[in-house]
Amino acid sequence: MSMEATLDPPTPSTLSEPTTPTSHEDLESLKKAQTAIQALSPILSHSLPPSLSSARNPAFSLLHHPDVASQITTLLHHPDSGAGDNPLCRWLYDTFQSSDPGLQLVVLRFLPTLAGVYLSRVALRKPLAGFEAVILALYAHETASRGGQAATVNIPDLSHSSIYHETTKSTSKNASTELNLAVISPSLEPHGTVRSTRRARIIGVKMGMCTEMMMMERSRERKKRREREWWGRIPLPWELLQPVLRILGHCLMGPCINNEEAKRVKDVACGACRSLYARAMHDVSPKAILATRSLLRLGKMASNLNDDFDPTELPTDNVLSL
């Protein structure tokens, strides 16, 4: 089985929820997913439900379909699963080569099972070209995406003040700061075959890549969600927020007429205050945080009092009399 192991870096995508494709990239991703599902159907022992191909996001549905996962896992444990002409290995290879992040996550879901079966059969000295083709494809993808660079992480230096601490003392950079760069994985060399001396290295990188891609997709998902929220968010400067808070204050603290309409107004006002408080926390606006939090507390206090409570009246209890 001839399989090329050169991959292009994945394009950004989000798989948080099935969404209706609107852009050209979304339509291309939809076509790739439908093609992959059609190719997988004759490989599995049970036919795939039509709802997978007709879903708004077929790759998302395929990733989370329990019956499909069970069938693929069973086939991976089959005695002939790792052969060079194995159709499931061919499908995993071609699906990952599609460079579609959604389909690549489908392949990565079965990576631990594939690696476990492969390592357990290495000692048998049986040809496992199918497994190795998938493994090398993933390794080549990681090698290309790194661009010859090592995977590193910066470790905080406790001898220096963080950006959240004010200090008048100037700290000069010294040679110790350079030691805070930790190498998670050194630079990778391209490999066209899986030799015994390289096997652990290649599979270790492949397993780390699985975690990284999962985290990357989650990060993209959060970024997309923040972008959607940002474009739909109305700017709330203090000049605009002040009258809004006054209106909510009147709704919360006004005399309560004993009827359902007045109570509903107070409930809606409380919900609006909670939303404004969350917004103030997000914007890190001290004045807005203090004002909205005060309204929430006052609204809670008013709800615990009787219906005749009037905040403009002076209290008659605890009054000293001569």
Side-chain angles (χ1 to χ4, degrees):
M1 179 171 66
S2 175
M3 297 185 180
E4 296 296 331
T6 303
L7 294 174
D8 297 326
T11 56
S13 176
T14 177
L15 294 175
S16 57
E17 299 176 342
T19 55
T20 303
T22 54
S23 65
H24 177 71
E25 292 182 357
D26 292 336
L27 291 175
E28 287 296 321
S29 179
L30 176 63
K31 292 178 182 178
K32 289 181 180 180
Q34 291 175 340
T35 301
I37 291 174
Q38 293 174 1
L40 178 63
S41 184
I43 299 175
L44 302 181
S45 56
H46 299 84
S47 59
L48 295 176
S51 59
L52 282 179
S53 295
S54 60
R56 290 181 295 178
N57 192 329
F60 182 89
S61 301
L62 185 63
L63 176 65
H64 297 280
H65 199 284
D67 184 56
V68 173
S70 177
Q71 292 190 61
I72 292 180
T73 301
T74 301
L75 289 175
L76 286 174
H77 285 91
H78 193 272
D80 297 330
S81 58
D85 57 351
N86 182 262
L88 180 59
C89 290
R90 163 62 71 177
W91 182 86
L92 291 171
Y93 178 88
D94 292 339
T95 301
F96 193 83
Q97 287 278 41
S98 68
S99 298
D100 181 78
L103 293 175
Q104 288 179 334
L105 283 179
V106 174
V107 177
L108 290 175
R109 175 177 183 177
F110 305 101
L111 185 56
T113 302
L114 187 149
V117 176
Y118 172 71
L119 291 175
S120 65
R121 295 180 183 175
V122 166
L124 302 177
R125 299 186 180 277
K126 294 176 57 177
L128 301 171
F131 282 161
E132 291 179 348
V134 178
I135 291 171
L136 287 172
L138 271 65
Y139 179 84
H141 174 275
E142 181 68 5
T143 303
S145 64
R146 289 193 191 179
Q149 302 296 322
T152 60
V153 63
N154 287 319
I155 300 177
D157 186 359
L158 299 181
S159 63
H160 298 277
S161 300
S162 72
I163 59 175
Y164 303 103
H165 292 81
E166 296 182 359
T167 177
T168 57
K169 182 180 179 181
S170 60
T171 56
S172 58
K173 295 183 178 180
N174 50 40
S176 64
T177 307
E178 300 178 357
L179 303 178
N180 297 327
L181 191 67
V183 178
I184 299 177
S185 178
S187 57
L188 304 178
E189 297 179 1
H191 296 306
T193 59
V194 182
R195 297 181 181 178
S196 58
T197 56
R198 305 170 180 168
R199 185 176 294 116
R201 168 79 168 148
I202 292 175
I203 294 180
V205 169
K206 183 169 62 74
M207 297 300 291
M209 170 195 172
C210 179
T211 304
E212 290 173 3
M213 284 199 69
M214 293 291 185
M215 296 298 295
M216 189 184 303
E217 286 302 317
R218 293 176 186 175
S219 176
R220 288 169 181 160
E221 172 189 338
R222 290 192 296 268
K223 182 179 179 181
K224 289 285 185 180
R225 187 182 298 113
R226 287 196 298 268
E227 289 175 352
R228 290 195 294 268
E229 293 174 353
W230 173 256
W231 288 111
R233 183 176 293 141
I234 300 173
L236 280 182
W238 182 246
E239 293 78 12
L240 178 60
L241 187 60
Q242 256 187 324
V244 173
L245 294 176
R246 289 195 190 100
I247 295 171
L248 291 176
H250 283 294
C251 294
L252 287 171
M253 304 303 297
C256 181
I257 304 173
N258 192 11
N259 56 46
E260 294 299 326
E261 184 66 22
K263 292 181 179 179
R264 189 181 68 84
V265 170
K266 289 196 172 185
D267 291 339
V268 173
C270 283
C273 286
R274 284 192 292 269
S275 298
L276 286 175
Y277 177 69
R279 171 66 183 276
M281 292 292 290
H282 181 274
D283 294 347
V284 197
S285 174
K287 289 196 296 185
I289 292 173
L290 179 61
T292 52
R293 187 175 178 85
S294 299
L295 277 181
L296 286 173
R297 290 184 174 180
L298 289 173
K300 186 176 180 180
M301 291 171 57
S303 64
N304 294 331
L305 297 174
N306 55 53
D307 294 336
D308 298 329
F309 170 72
D310 186 350
T312 61
E313 292 288 340
L314 293 176
T316 57
D317 56 341
N318 298 327
V319 177
L320 295 176
S321 58
L322 297 176

